[in-house]
Amino acid sequence: MLPLRRAALWGLRRDHSRALSLSPTHRDAQKGLVLGVYEQEQEDGGPSFTESAEAFDRSLSGGLRELLAVSGPALKRGKSRIFYGVHKDFPSVVLVGLGKPSAGVCAQESWDQRRENIRAAAAVGCRQLQELEVSVVEVDACGDAQAAAEGAVLGLFEYDELKQKKKTAVDARLHGSSGAADWHRGVLYAEGQNLARHLMEAPANYVTPTAFAETIQQRLSPLSDKVTVHMR
């Protein structure tokens, strides 16, 4: 079991997270992991890990849960906490709050709070690792691989095409093999949304009508033998 002394060095990293550091060279790590944690349903209860987080914790003989317990207050929805050096394959591990496990669908608004919590949590974890220049991030499906993929890909978007200094390009992947088809679907949905955001945020004198049509044609060409652009 990991000794508690490994959690000695910890502090606030941003308003939404706390960081534990085991090594001053953690920024050189190139692979990270995002895992989900549910809030306790009752005041005297403890946090509940997702299936992937529980399996990861078992591989550490309970060390991840131990670190979370001593790192600060309970992890709330949309918040995150990062740990360094706890696993040889994942030098950086981010735990993200998924809210209460009882969250469901609001029938009046047709709003799935559970899926939205997953999207928000995946986005927070991926962005935090991107700030550390981690180039490969595996994301916990959190019970809904499509929602996790949507959150990860949407959260990593930033229009920086005209900037000299760009953020680290992150390859977000599904952690584990369960839900691969749903993950792929979520990536496609999110990439479509990011394309719309890219065209919207680009300067008008940069994305002219001709450039707009050429971009759409280029993106659709792999999906069809013939793409026709109609000019008005």
Side-chain angles (χ1 to χ4, degrees):
M1 180 177 294
L2 292 176
L4 286 175
R5 63 182 178 80
R6 298 186 67 178
L9 299 176
W10 65 280
L12 286 173
R13 212 188 135 64
R14 279 181 176 261
D15 291 342
H16 65 267
S17 65
R18 294 178 183 268
L20 278 76
S21 177
L22 303 179
S23 169
T25 61
H26 68 268
R27 290 183 180 273
D28 296 332
Q30 294 297 307
K31 192 172 184 180
L33 177 63
V34 177
L35 296 171
V37 180
Y38 291 103
E39 288 183 36
Q40 56 191 26
E41 288 283 5
Q42 300 177 350
E43 293 295 331
D44 57 348
S48 176
F49 282 1
T50 62
E51 183 178 340
S52 293
E54 193 69 54
F56 188 79
D57 182 55
R58 287 196 301 269
S59 73
L60 299 176
S61 302
L64 187 62
R65 190 179 295 275
E66 182 180 341
L67 286 173
L68 179 62
V70 301
S71 65
L75 202 57
K76 299 296 183 180
R77 176 170 58 93
K79 306 299 181 180
S80 65
R81 199 160 298 160
I82 186 167
F83 304 93
Y84 303 110
V86 297
H87 195 279
K88 60 183 180 62
D89 294 332
F90 301 100
S92 302
V93 177
V94 179
L95 294 183
V96 290
L98 296 170
K100 296 184 181 299
S102 59
V105 179
C106 176
Q108 293 181 338
E109 299 184 8
S110 298
W111 178 264
D112 193 331
Q113 187 62 55
R114 173 178 166 274
R115 300 194 78 192
E116 187 58 29
N117 289 349
I118 294 173
R119 293 187 188 99
V124 167
C126 287
R127 282 198 300 265
Q128 188 168 5
L129 290 171
Q130 185 183 44
E131 291 178 0
L132 298 175
E133 300 182 355
V134 176
S135 58
V136 178
V137 176
E138 292 193 12
V139 182
D140 181 1
C142 300
D144 191 322
Q146 179 177 332
E150 291 169 356
V153 177
L154 290 172
L156 291 169
F157 173 82
E158 179 172 342
Y159 183 79
D160 57 3
E161 187 170 334
L162 303 179
K163 295 181 180 179
Q164 291 186 346
K165 186 176 181 180
K166 305 179 187 299
K167 286 193 174 182
T168 301
V170 177
D171 178 13
R173 305 173 181 174
L174 175 65
H175 180 61
S177 57
S178 178
D182 291 334
W183 174 271
H184 180 66
R185 185 184 306 110
V187 170
L188 290 178
Y189 286 1
E191 287 181 344
Q193 180 66 37
N194 283 345
L195 173 59
R197 296 164 77 185
H198 176 87
L199 294 171
M200 178 190 70
E201 295 186 19
N205 63 338
Y206 184 74
V207 180
T208 62
T210 299
F212 182 95
E214 290 176 348
T215 299
I216 297 300
Q217 187 175 26
Q218 180 183 12
R219 293 298 184 94
L220 293 180
S221 293
L223 306 177
S224 176
D225 295 334
K226 183 179 180 181
V227 178
T228 303
V229 178
H230 298 278
M231 305 296 293
R232 287 188 175 183

